[in-house]
Amino acid sequence: MSPPFEVLADPTRRRIVALLREGPRPVGEIAAELTLSQPRTSKHLRVLRDAGLVTVRVRAQARYYALRPEPLAELDAWLEPYRRLWADRLDLLANQLDNAPAPPRSGPAPSTEEQP
């Protein structure tokens, strides 16, 4: 099984995951939305399924794919410390900008008189 980050490094697979956020879809609909051939789309879906990111359900002749929330929750939990790191850094930057002296203005000050 491939790690989710490795699997999601591919932009096409990220687009498939984005489509499946809206709900389960048949492979033909996914292929049409991405303007890919059905065999190529199926290969990407197989990689996502093997990584545990999607499930497949067969209904008559169609295969419906759906996201599995558990692996995405694991990714989210792994990313949390990095979000806090960025939030802390952005707070420091905001503080610096708030406390920095205003840059000198260039050009004449705007007139407050009305023009005829």
Side-chain angles (χ1 to χ4, degrees):
M1 180 186 321
S2 299
F5 277 122
E6 184 179 320
V7 170
L8 293 173
D10 183 280
T12 300
R13 290 193 279 269
R14 287 194 308 270
R15 289 176 56 207
I16 291 171
V17 167
L19 284 174
L20 293 177
R21 274 193 330 233
E22 300 167 7
R25 291 180 182 231
V27 65
E29 188 178 308
I30 296 168
E33 186 76 29
L34 299 177
T35 63
L36 295 175
S37 68
Q38 188 162 339
R40 188 165 174 210
T41 303
S42 292
K43 286 181 183 181
H44 284 291
L45 287 164
R46 187 175 327 114
V47 171
L48 289 165
R49 187 187 67 223
D50 290 347
L53 292 166
V54 299
T55 60
V56 62
R57 185 181 50 171
V58 179
R59 189 184 311 161
Q61 297 296 322
R63 293 181 179 271
Y64 284 80
Y65 287 84
L67 278 180
R68 287 190 62 240
E70 299 86 2
L72 297 173
E74 290 172 19
L75 286 173
D76 184 56
W78 187 86
L79 287 169
E80 180 58 30
Y82 299 96
R83 266 192 227 96
R84 278 187 270 135
L85 172 73
W86 277 107
D88 291 346
R89 299 237 171 145
L90 290 173
D91 288 345
L92 287 172
L93 175 60
N95 255 352
Q96 286 289 105
L97 294 173
D98 289 344
N99 296 322
R105 296 181 73 166
S106 60
S111 172
T112 58
E113 296 179 18
E114 286 188 25
Q115 298 289 327

